[in-house]
Amino acid sequence: MPTNKQIHLDNRPEGEAIASNFKLVTAQTPDLKDNQVLVRHHYMSLDPYMRGRMNDSKSYAQPQPLGQTMQGGTVGEVVESKHPKYAVGDKVVGFGGWQEYSVVDASQPGALKKVDTTHVPLSHYLGAVGMPGVTAWYGLVKIIAPKAGETVVITAASGAVGSAFGALAKARGCRVVGIAGGADKCRYVTDELGFDACIDYRQHPDLKSMSAALKEACPDGIDGYFENVGGYIFDAVLLRANAFARVALCGMIAGYDGQPLPLANPALILINRMKIEGFIVSEHMEVWPEALAELGTLVATGKLKPRESIAQGIESAPEAFLGLLKGRNFGKQLVKLI
């Protein structure tokens, strides 16, 4: 059996995460038992939610255990199988974690899924046609529920969730406004993803400036908001929100290092009779087939053009992850393992 390089969480961050929180280890992959398959990972996913799980604190998911392989999504190829439904060569998506190989009990519901790479590249099943894409779909369709002509806004617009959100919202006839960091990302959001406008938060680093930028980009106010970041941008959106605006609360990356993120004027939620709903996409598996079908079609027809940042090799994962938390990635952040 092959040697398997893994990245473990060695110790918990105190404040900002650093490279020494992680440890590279080598292990042997075990012999397969009945119904197990051995998957050689081609790509592994890096996602902001992983930062929250590094803390030993109450959250919607159990903390990442110390001394164990970092958990996360993977795509790859079956290289050995003792399960009748999986053959060597099958392309699969799973939750194999930060390692080169995983042994999966394929009889467990949802543990592994075969995917078709005819029209959708394998890596996209970790982004636009995977968890981030379904996250965008759920927040838009089930929480914001926009009508044609309404204005919707999303932070981290150039990322995996943001790019899918833009395509889905445009397909529903919305005015779509993104917020991203840097002129290059903003150009990508408008020119390639088809957003109506994109605000560079680096040019608007405070509440007053961001509020003015939102007023210009959203002349009819904001009807729906997809929140990935938190902080002063959320405050600025509340100032521009229309009556009965809806907010899908997905991430708070500005607070992942542990500091609280107070709201400047929460009374605006009452004044505007707003609905704010937090959600975890893994709790809504019933929508995944419908969402993935639409997302796959958008990619296959060129209406969704996801961008990827790809780090090379398992050893690069910690630094790539720390870069993701600081917004250094452009699009979906992946690690290529082959």
Side-chain angles (χ1 to χ4, degrees):
M1 300 294 282
T3 300
N4 184 23
K5 291 181 181 177
Q6 306 170 325
I7 301 288
H8 288 190
L9 181 63
D10 186 60
N11 56 84
R12 300 202 185 277
E14 296 181 8
E16 189 173 319
I18 54 177
S20 60
N21 297 140
F22 304 96
K23 184 179 181 181
L24 177 68
V25 302
T26 301
Q28 287 297 124
T29 53
D31 292 331
L32 295 187
K33 299 175 183 176
D34 287 346
N35 292 320
Q36 289 185 334
V37 299
L38 179 65
V39 180
R40 174 70 165 102
H41 300 152
H42 289 204
Y43 295 92
M44 56 177 246
S45 178
L46 299 179
D47 300 282
Y49 79 84
M50 296 171 175
R51 173 61 189 87
R53 298 196 63 218
M54 292 171 69
N55 299 331
D56 187 13
S57 57
K58 184 180 183 296
S59 186
Y60 59 83
Q62 289 295 315
Q64 164 70 40
L66 290 176
Q68 294 185 23
T69 303
M70 283 286 292
Q71 297 166 5
T74 50
V75 288
E77 182 176 350
V78 174
V79 292
E80 186 180 345
S81 176
K82 288 195 174 182
H83 191 284
K85 292 186 178 179
Y86 290 89
V88 172
D90 283 346
K91 300 298 192 297
V92 292
V93 59
F95 204 68
W98 293 24
Q99 55 184 342
E100 294 175 324
Y101 293 85
S102 61
V103 173
V104 183
D105 182 351
S107 65
Q108 293 292 317
L112 210 59
K113 179 187 174 186
K114 282 191 267 192
V115 293
D116 183 356
T117 57
T118 307
H119 301 293
V120 177
L122 182 61
S123 60
H124 286 4
Y125 286 102
L126 291 175
V129 195
M131 181 270 289
V134 181
T135 298
W137 191 96
Y138 189 89
L140 179 71
V141 175
K142 296 297 185 180
I143 297 177
I144 296 173
K147 301 180 182 72
E150 288 191 324
T151 297
V152 295
V153 177
I154 185 168
T155 46
S158 68
V161 174
S163 57
F165 180 92
L168 294 164
K170 290 304 292 182
R172 287 159 174 77
C174 297
R175 176 175 175 80
V176 188
V177 176
I179 300 172
D184 288 346
K185 289 183 179 180
C186 285
R187 270 193 299 273
Y188 164 69
V189 167
T190 54
D191 296 356
E192 294 189 45
L193 296 178
F195 282 58
D196 296 284
C198 189
I199 298 166
D200 182 355
Y201 68 79
R202 293 177 183 169
Q203 299 298 316
H204 303 281
D206 54 56
L207 176 59
K208 183 177 180 181
S209 177
M210 179 57 71
S211 181
L214 282 167
K215 184 176 182 179
E216 182 178 350
C218 307
D220 297 324
I222 296 170
D223 301 297
Y225 178 52
F226 195 109
E227 177 64 285
N228 288 308
V229 176
Y232 78 94
I233 297 175
F234 195 4
D235 288 322
V237 168
L238 290 178
L239 289 170
R240 302 300 310 154
N242 289 330
F244 306 105
R246 292 83 65 197
V247 177
L249 194 60
C250 174
M252 286 282 189
I253 197 170
Y256 281 177
D257 289 337
Q259 67 270 36
L261 292 175
L263 285 173
N265 193 357
L268 290 168
I269 299 168
L270 171 61
I271 292 166
N272 290 320
R273 289 87 80 205
M274 296 174 68
K275 178 177 89 168
I276 299 180
E277 183 175 339
F279 74 99
I280 308 302
V281 74
S282 60
E283 295 176 350
H284 304 281
M285 298 306 293
E286 73 283 355
V287 309
W288 282 57
E290 181 185 356
L292 290 172
E294 181 176 357
L295 291 157
T297 300
L298 288 170
V299 170
T301 57
K303 294 178 180 176
L304 171 53
K305 300 173 182 175
R307 191 150 169 176
E308 297 171 331
S309 291
I310 300 178
Q312 297 289 333
I314 187 78
E315 295 86 353
S316 70
E319 287 296 345
F321 178 64
L322 299 177
L324 166 72
L325 297 178
K326 294 183 180 298
R328 294 189 189 125
N329 61 302
F330 201 140
K332 172 66 188 176
Q333 181 65 61
L334 300 168
V335 179
K336 189 174 184 181
L337 299 172
I338 58 166

